[in-house]
Amino acid sequence: MVHSAYDSLELLNNCPTKIDAVESYGSNLLIACSDGSLRIFGPESSSSSAADRSPPSDRQSQTLELKKEPYVLERTVNGFSRRPMLAMEVLGSRELLLSLSESIAFHKLPNFETLAVITKAKGANAYSWDDRRGFLCFARQKRVCIFRHDGGRGFVEVKEFGVPDYVKSMSWCGENICLGIRREYMILNATNGALSEVFPSGRIAPPLVVSLPSGELLLGKDNIGVLVDQNGKLLQEGRICWSEAPSVVVIQKPYATALLPRHIEIRSLRVPYPLIQTVVLRDVRHIHQGKNAVIVALNNSIYGLFPVPLGAQIVQLTASGNFEEALALCKLLPPEDSSLRASKEQSIHIRYAHYLFDNGSYEEAMDHFIASQVEITYVLSLYPSIVIPKSTSMAEPDKFLDVSGDAYLSRESSGLSDEMDSSSPSHQMEYDENSVLESKKMSYNTLMALVKFLQKKRNGIIGKAAAEGTEEVVSDAVGRSFVAYESNRAKRSNKGRVNISLDSGARELALILDTALLQALLLTGQSIAVLDLLKGLNYCDVQICEEILGNGNHYLCLLELYKYNSLHREALKLLHRLVEESKSDEPKIQLSQKFTPEMIIEYLKPLCGIDPMIVLEFSMLVLESCPTQTIELFLSGNIAADLVNSYLKQHAPSMQSTYLELMLSMNENGISGNLQNEMMQIYLSEVLEWYADLTAQNKWDEKAYTPTRKKLLSALEGISGYAPELLLKRLPTDALFEERALLLGKMNQHELALSIYIHKLHVPDLALSYCDRVYDSGLHQQPAKVTGNIYLTLLQIYLNPQKTTKNIEKRIDKLVSSPNNKVGWTSLKGKGKGFGKKIADIEGAEDSRFIPSGTDSGKSDGDGDYDGDEETVSNIMLDDVLNVLSQRWDRVNGSQALKLLPKETKLQNLLPFLGPLLKKTSEAHRNFSVIKSLRECGNLQAKDELYSQRKAYVKITGDSMCSLCNKKIGTSVFAVYPNGNTIVHFVCFRDSQNMKATGKGSALRRR
């Protein structure tokens, strides 16, 4: 990394005497010669006759600089020093010249008038000046002295400390002093003189202490320059390795110039401190830092090392491929050239990025692309196989490479063509196997670098795009508020991101970025990262990404793409196809995982509140395989059951009953009467079809049951919200008697229902179970007298078989056809206000129908067509009656039951009924007697307590005081408060009561 950082120019030649020290003041050179004189040389172009030339002012001297031209002698000050001059330094802020010779002297500039001579510095060999505080420290023998400039013509001694050995080099480091003695470096505390060791010095070269502009120190150890902080601690930035041990080091940012035995070496102050330039001059005695150049003093001549302009150095470094150094120099350009600096930095970053990219350092190349702030389309032009949206145009590389107009920023070594195809590539990614460059650019490392580049750029671009989208929504909302009502009626048909306008630059860049990032992630096998990208805020192009994901079998990612862009129909179609492929033994597409119907249900859950129709449409695909989960979907999504039922009835009638069954099992109260009727009609239709088939084959059996008939019977018994009369009309007259009985029971026609159980089905157990259900259902809602009458009805049917069996079908037909007899479901459903009254009327009617009178000997007047002459005792089912009485003796009214029994009934047969009944009655009588006695006892105890309370007394003594007036009670009439302890005069009590009454009246009047 060698380039020309300095131009070497001879300023002075053939000096009459040997040069001991050199310094610059403005544009002049101050040269201390071996004869003790001080010679002032000026630029040849500005030299004139001594009469016409006046010394420069202070301000002029501070602005003037050394010039690149020969210098001529302008003035000589003889006898400036008695001994050879060791060093000179111009103190620009104080316009003084400090010289170290026999002692340390200060001269006023520009006339070189002697201002002060520090006699104590006689024999000093090293010094250091702190211009900020005006402090001077110097070393004499084994002593270090500190003086302070008092601002006038004098110096005041501050401190003097002793040191272990002779000081060879020294420099201020903050408030302390770094000393280089013969064998080591030490830090001297300028306040108390404490010494702390740093590290040993070198064995070959003497100690060398150099102060850096940052306040740190460069300490020489032979040919190595060690960096330490102001406290002497080693820094981690590394070490400067010179080719030989330097005798003098001059710091002129950003370079360090060292005087070596055979040449002058210039190195960068940036890690790793590379060699920049070597200047070969013979017999160099001193080098000194001037204002704008490094002054090199030979025996009889002076050279100036003038810095090459930064722009020219940047050109050299960039052309030679030293981009890091060129970027470092760009930061040193003056602030007024900020635009130039930015353009140069951008050009160098781009050039450096191409260099790194072509040499395989892809991630570092992307870092420099980011630093150059180029558009992402420019970087994507390096990846022809990455598909970007057609509406975007690729950035031309020349647009960035030639921004500064310098010839050195051409693209000859970038490995890219200057002519790029501006048309977008095809959606099908085509790989050129014959192109080595193409294969390299699509390698894994290259794509990983692209992924990191896009991810670093993404936050800023997505943030701007989202902000623009928010502003657009707000502006649209504000604009629409001023539009007429008719213009607001038009609704957007598509809520997805597909149709979002991308007129803004940020959203267009976001579209390009996310589309490219998705492809790069897929090509590097990061499917999980693609899922995370699609689940969050993204601007992926749907058309391009859909094709890429589909061709690569990345179906989960494709589903997320559809979902984010509200393309739910496409997503569900794809998901259904994947589920079917997963079920197939020979799938046509390669699947990375198994897709189940539950995935469709999970996808549909968020859509229940947005688009219930699409939920119904695609739930039909999984209703048969996952009925429970699908019904739970409908329930959790709050989709109207009537809507679901009507949709099933139209599109999936075979699943209608399944849906209604699950609905009923999950939420019985949530299913309406209409849906219950619908389910019953479905069951009944299937049962009637089954009945018709068996009847046609003469195989019908009333005791045969199919699963559907069992469901029908269970539903008829367990559900109460359907309309029984509608179902009753459809039943055949000569079959399905159990269904008929259940329907009649729902219509509160208990007599007819029980008659069917006994005389049609001949199953007394079912009749008794029926009575138990009616009794249990009304036990907590109706008086026991009413619910108990159902057993009396059963007894009447057993005792009057001819009456109850006569004309059953006619009575049922009359009940169904007559609207006045609809006392079941339709009556309860009619008017809400009469609901409780209708129940009372129905039960009251049953009560009056079956309670026998005291003179009818068990005869019922429920049927006007009954002929009493036809009744005979032989037809009475007395055994069944006795069986009911023995089993349900605790539910039957004994007196009424006995009235219904025939007179011929033997008392012995009634023992199973009368025994427990009488026992229970006697126990009840005994219990009531005990309760009565206990209540009487309690009453007596209460009276006794009352009498004892009334016997309370109050003793009035001569010391008893009124609690209101605090006077003695004496013989006055008094009153006692209920607590028994508070005694007041009766007059005081009356007055207090009157005052309370008056206060209440006033309060009422105020109100």
Side-chain angles (χ1 to χ4, degrees):
M1 185 190 287
V2 179
H3 75 280
S4 297
Y6 289 90
D7 289 334
S8 177
L9 180 64
E10 186 179 30
L11 302 179
L12 176 64
N13 192 12
N14 297 324
C15 183
T17 57
K18 187 178 180 180
I19 300 174
D20 290 335
V22 63
E23 176 62 297
S24 65
Y25 175 65
S27 60
N28 296 331
L29 288 174
L30 308 181
I31 298 177
C33 299
S34 58
D35 59 359
S37 64
L38 178 67
R39 300 175 185 270
I40 297 93
F41 289 83
E44 186 178 22
S45 61
S46 60
S47 63
S48 58
S49 61
D52 297 338
R53 178 166 38 87
S54 61
S57 63
D58 294 349
R59 180 173 299 179
Q60 290 175 340
S61 65
Q62 293 178 8
T63 57
L64 294 176
E65 298 178 346
L66 294 177
K67 297 185 178 180
K68 297 180 181 181
E69 57 183 88
Y71 274 65
V72 297
L73 180 64
E74 292 185 352
R75 181 183 172 190
T76 302
V77 180
N78 293 317
F80 187 76
S81 62
R82 297 179 181 180
R83 293 187 178 182
M85 187 68 66
L86 298 179
M88 289 191 304
E89 182 179 352
V90 172
L91 310 180
S93 62
R94 289 172 168 78
E95 286 295 314
L96 297 176
L97 175 64
L98 184 155
S99 59
L100 173 61
S101 178
E102 183 181 7
S103 62
I104 296 178
F106 291 88
H107 299 270
K108 188 68 176 177
L109 293 175
N111 297 323
F112 301 99
E113 174 188 355
T114 301
L115 181 68
V117 177
I118 300 178
T119 57
K120 197 171 183 177
K122 186 176 182 180
N125 63 319
Y127 78 93
S128 179
W129 169 257
D130 185 352
D131 191 68
R132 180 179 63 85
R133 299 184 299 164
F135 274 51
L136 171 71
C137 66
F138 58 87
R140 180 175 60 86
Q141 297 179 355
K142 296 182 180 182
R143 308 291 297 177
V144 173
C145 300
I146 302 175
F147 280 76
R148 175 176 57 83
H149 185 213
D150 61 3
R153 300 178 61 87
F155 284 80
V156 180
E157 183 177 359
V158 179
K159 295 284 184 179
E160 182 178 356
F161 303 106
V163 293
D165 208 337
Y166 288 95
V167 178
K168 299 297 183 180
S169 180
M170 63 190 312
S171 176
W172 284 99
C173 53
E175 304 294 331
N176 301 325
I177 305 172
C178 183
L179 305 177
I181 58 178
R182 288 186 178 181
R183 297 297 181 187
E184 61 183 344
Y185 292 101
M186 308 186 76
I187 299 294
L188 172 66
N189 190 314
T191 303
N192 54 22
L195 291 170
S196 57
E197 297 181 359
V198 181
F199 57 81
S201 59
R203 297 180 179 180
I204 301 175
L208 178 64
V209 180
V210 181
S211 178
L212 300 178
S214 60
E216 299 163 350
L217 296 174
L218 177 65
L219 307 181
K221 190 172 185 178
D222 294 337
N223 67 321
I224 298 176
V226 182
L227 295 173
V228 298
D229 60 11
Q230 294 183 356
N231 297 319
K233 294 182 179 180
L234 296 177
L235 300 178
Q236 301 297 326
E237 285 79 2
R239 300 177 180 182
I240 302 177
C241 296
W242 311 99
S243 57
E244 297 180 82
S247 58
V248 182
V249 175
V250 173
I251 303 299
Q252 191 173 37
K253 199 173 181 179
Y255 302 117
T257 303
L259 175 60
L260 275 59
R262 291 179 293 184
H263 59 269
I264 297 173
E265 192 169 282
I266 302 170
R267 288 185 175 271
S268 173
L269 289 176
R270 291 180 62 257
V271 179
Y273 313 107
L275 175 65
I276 300 300
Q277 185 180 357
T278 300
V279 179
V280 179
L281 292 173
R282 294 183 178 181
D283 301 327
V284 177
R285 299 191 62 189
H286 306 287
I287 61 174
H288 186 77
Q289 180 179 353
K291 187 172 184 180
N292 66 318
V294 177
I295 304 172
V296 181
L298 282 66
N299 287 329
N300 297 98
S301 60
I302 300 294
Y303 280 81
L305 300 181
F306 292 92
V308 176
L310 291 178
Q313 292 188 55
I314 293 171
V315 170
Q316 295 179 44
L317 291 170
T318 307
S320 61
N322 297 324
F323 302 104
E324 293 285 352
E325 196 69 28
L327 290 171
L329 292 182
C330 285
K331 299 183 183 302
L332 299 178
L333 289 172
E336 55 269 16
D337 296 336
S338 59
S339 59
L340 175 62
R341 180 175 66 181
S343 63
K344 284 186 175 294
E345 285 181 343
Q346 184 185 41
S347 302
I348 296 170
H349 277 300
I350 295 175
R351 182 68 180 274
Y352 193 15
H354 280 291
Y355 172 81
L356 293 172
F357 191 87
D358 293 340
N359 287 276
S361 301
Y362 305 113
E363 292 189 14
E364 295 180 13
M366 294 303 161
D367 291 338
H368 285 282
F369 277 129
I370 292 175
S372 67
Q373 298 181 353
V374 296
E375 297 290 344
I376 59 174
T377 52
Y378 178 83
V379 179
L380 291 175
S381 65
L382 302 175
Y383 297 84
S385 296
I386 297 294
V387 184
I388 64 172
K390 290 183 178 180
S391 59
T392 59
S393 58
M394 302 292 288
E396 293 295 336
D398 291 340
K399 173 182 177 182
F400 297 99
L401 290 176
D402 296 331
V403 288
S404 62
D406 297 327
Y408 70 96
L409 292 178
S410 64
R411 288 184 54 212
E412 294 177 356
S413 62
S414 64
L416 296 178
S417 173
D418 289 331
E419 297 180 358
M420 299 193 67
D421 186 8
S422 60
S423 62
S424 63
S426 172
H427 288 174
Q428 297 290 343
M429 293 186 291
E430 300 175 356
Y431 299 92
D432 187 1
E433 298 179 355
N434 298 326
S435 175
V436 178
L437 180 62
E438 177 67 17
S439 62
K440 180 177 70 173
K441 289 182 178 179
M442 292 307 295
S443 66
Y444 178 82
N445 293 334
T446 312
L447 291 169
M448 283 299 299
L450 177 63
V451 168
K452 294 180 179 180
F453 167 79
L454 295 175
Q455 288 175 340
K456 290 178 181 178
K457 298 283 289 185
R458 190 173 188 270
N459 289 337
I461 294 177
I462 295 298
K464 292 180 180 178
E468 289 182 358
T470 303
E471 292 177 0
E472 180 178 319
V473 171
V474 173
S475 61
D476 290 346
V478 174
R480 285 195 298 269
S481 64
F482 296 97
V483 181
Y485 172 77
E486 288 76 13
S487 63
N488 288 332
R489 298 178 61 185
K491 304 293 182 180
R492 294 184 179 180
S493 59
N494 193 340
K495 298 179 182 179
R497 282 281 319 286
V498 183
N499 295 329
I500 288 182
S501 174
L502 292 174
D503 297 334
S504 65
R507 279 183 286 177
E508 186 174 0
L509 283 178
L511 180 73
I512 299 172
L513 188 148
D514 281 348
T515 305
L517 179 58
L518 181 140
Q519 298 174 64
L521 290 172
L522 288 177
L523 292 173
T524 53
Q526 303 183 62
S527 299
I528 297 178
V530 175
L531 278 175
D532 294 337
L533 172 67
L534 294 173
K535 288 179 180 178
L537 174 63
N538 69 86
Y539 290 80
C540 293
D541 185 272
V542 177
Q543 185 178 1
I544 296 176
C545 296
E546 178 184 17
E547 185 171 356
I548 293 173
L549 293 173
N551 293 337
N553 296 335
H554 301 286
Y555 297 111
L556 282 178
C557 299
L558 183 56
L559 288 172
E560 286 296 333
L561 176 70
Y562 286 147
K563 183 177 181 180
Y564 182 81
N565 291 278
S566 299
L567 300 174
H568 303 301
R569 187 173 297 277
E570 288 78 2
L572 290 167
K573 288 180 180 178
L574 173 63
L575 191 54
H576 175 60
R577 182 165 64 92
L578 296 174
V579 171
E580 295 299 323
E581 289 292 336
S582 299
K583 294 179 181 178
S584 176
D585 296 334
E586 297 180 358
K588 299 180 181 178
I589 57 178
Q590 184 178 0
L591 300 178
S592 59
Q593 70 174 75
K594 184 178 181 180
F595 291 85
T596 61
E598 286 78 4
M599 292 183 175
I600 298 180
I601 296 176
E602 289 297 324
Y603 190 97
L604 291 174
K605 284 182 179 179
L607 302 181
C608 292
I610 302 174
D611 192 352
M613 294 309 298
I614 196 172
V615 175
L616 291 174
E617 178 182 350
F618 285 93
S619 63
M620 299 300 103
L621 304 175
V622 295
L623 181 59
E624 185 174 359
S625 58
C626 303
T628 305
Q629 295 91 326
T630 308
I631 303 306
E632 289 178 351
L633 170 67
F634 296 149
L635 292 176
S636 62
N638 294 325
I639 301 178
D642 292 331
L643 177 61
V644 177
N645 180 67
S646 61
Y647 196 90
L648 289 173
K649 189 174 183 179
Q650 182 179 0
H651 296 88
S654 60
M655 297 303 298
Q656 187 180 6
S657 61
T658 305
Y659 165 71
L660 294 174
E661 289 171 3
L662 292 173
M663 278 288 293
L664 189 64
S665 63
M666 293 179 181
N667 187 8
E668 181 177 355
N669 298 327
I671 184 170
S672 64
N674 292 332
L675 294 182
Q676 293 182 25
N677 284 329
E678 191 81 25
M679 185 175 65
M680 296 299 181
Q681 294 289 353
I682 294 173
Y683 286 161
L684 183 56
S685 297
E686 294 183 13
V687 171
L688 290 176
E689 291 179 3
W690 168 66
Y691 163 73
D693 293 340
L694 293 182
T695 303
Q697 302 174 12
N698 294 323
K699 295 181 180 180
W700 169 249
D701 184 5
E702 186 67 32
K703 297 182 179 180
Y705 294 94
T706 62
T708 305
R709 189 183 183 191
K710 291 180 181 179
K711 290 181 181 179
L712 176 60
L713 292 172
S714 176
L716 291 175
E717 179 181 347
I719 302 176
S720 59
Y722 59 92
E725 64 274 7
L726 299 178
L727 301 174
L728 192 59
K729 292 179 180 180
R730 299 184 59 189
L731 292 178
T733 58
D734 57 347
L736 302 178
F737 293 113
E738 189 172 353
E739 288 83 352
R740 186 185 298 271
L742 290 174
L743 291 173
L744 290 171
K746 291 295 181 180
M747 299 172 66
N748 292 329
Q749 299 299 320
H750 303 305
E751 180 183 4
L752 294 176
L754 291 173
S755 299
I756 292 176
Y757 281 125
I758 295 172
H759 301 302
K760 294 292 185 180
L761 295 174
H762 306 288
V763 185
D765 292 338
L766 289 180
L768 186 59
S769 299
Y770 176 86
C771 293
D772 292 339
R773 290 197 304 271
V774 174
Y775 181 88
D776 293 336
S777 64
L779 186 61
H780 303 289
Q781 301 176 3
Q782 305 165 0
K785 178 181 177 181
V786 177
T787 56
N789 289 332
I790 188 65
Y791 294 99
L792 297 179
T793 304
L794 179 60
L795 297 179
Q796 284 186 336
I797 294 174
Y798 283 139
L799 295 174
N800 300 283
Q802 292 185 357
K803 171 189 172 183
T804 54
T805 56
K806 187 177 181 180
N807 298 327
I808 291 180
E809 299 301 333
K810 292 182 179 180
R811 294 169 62 190
I812 294 176
D813 294 339
K814 182 179 179 181
L815 178 68
V816 174
S817 61
S818 177
N820 296 329
N821 293 331
K822 294 181 181 179
V823 295
W825 181 82
T826 53
S827 298
L828 298 180
K829 192 177 177 183
K831 297 182 180 179
K833 295 182 179 180
F835 184 79
K837 183 177 180 182
K838 289 181 181 294
I839 294 178
D841 292 343
I842 294 168
E843 299 299 339
E846 293 294 329
D847 188 25
S848 62
R849 178 183 303 172
F850 296 114
I851 296 177
S853 62
T855 59
D856 62 358
S857 300
K859 298 180 181 179
S860 174
D861 56 353
D863 188 0
D865 297 333
Y866 171 68
D867 187 1
D869 297 334
E870 296 178 3
E871 181 181 356
T872 60
V873 179
S874 60
N875 292 332
I876 293 177
M877 304 171 68
L878 187 58
D879 292 337
D880 294 317
V881 172
L882 296 176
N883 187 30
V884 172
L885 291 176
S886 63
Q887 293 183 20
R888 298 293 184 267
W889 59 267
D890 56 335
R891 296 189 176 190
V892 178
N893 189 313
S895 60
Q896 294 183 6
L898 290 175
K899 290 180 181 180
L900 294 177
L901 292 175
K903 296 179 181 180
E904 293 79 8
T905 305
K906 295 181 181 180
L907 186 60
Q908 184 178 2
N909 296 334
L910 295 176
L911 286 178
F913 167 63
L914 294 176
L917 181 61
L918 293 175
K919 182 178 179 180
K920 179 181 179 183
T921 304
S922 61
E923 288 179 356
H925 182 270
R926 183 173 59 254
N927 292 337
F928 288 141
S929 299
V930 173
I931 293 173
K932 179 181 178 182
S933 300
L934 291 174
R935 289 181 178 177
E936 289 177 353
C937 182
N939 186 24
L940 292 175
Q941 291 178 356
K943 288 181 178 181
D944 184 65
E945 180 68 20
L946 176 62
Y947 294 151
S948 63
Q949 293 295 331
R950 286 181 176 180
K951 290 180 179 181
Y953 66 95
V954 177
K955 186 177 181 180
I956 303 298
T957 65
D959 296 330
S960 299
M961 304 289 291
C962 176
S963 298
L964 293 178
C965 65
N966 295 324
K967 295 180 180 180
K968 292 183 178 181
I969 297 295
T971 58
S972 302
V973 181
F974 62 89
V976 182
Y977 280 89
N979 59 12
N981 297 323
T982 304
I983 307 172
V984 296
H985 290 108
F986 180 75
V987 176
C988 297
F989 173 74
R990 184 180 57 190
D991 292 342
S992 64
Q993 295 298 317
N994 292 336
M995 291 177 63
K996 290 181 180 179
T998 304
K1000 292 181 179 180
S1002 301
L1004 292 174
R1005 285 193 296 273
R1006 284 195 298 270
R1007 292 179 183 176

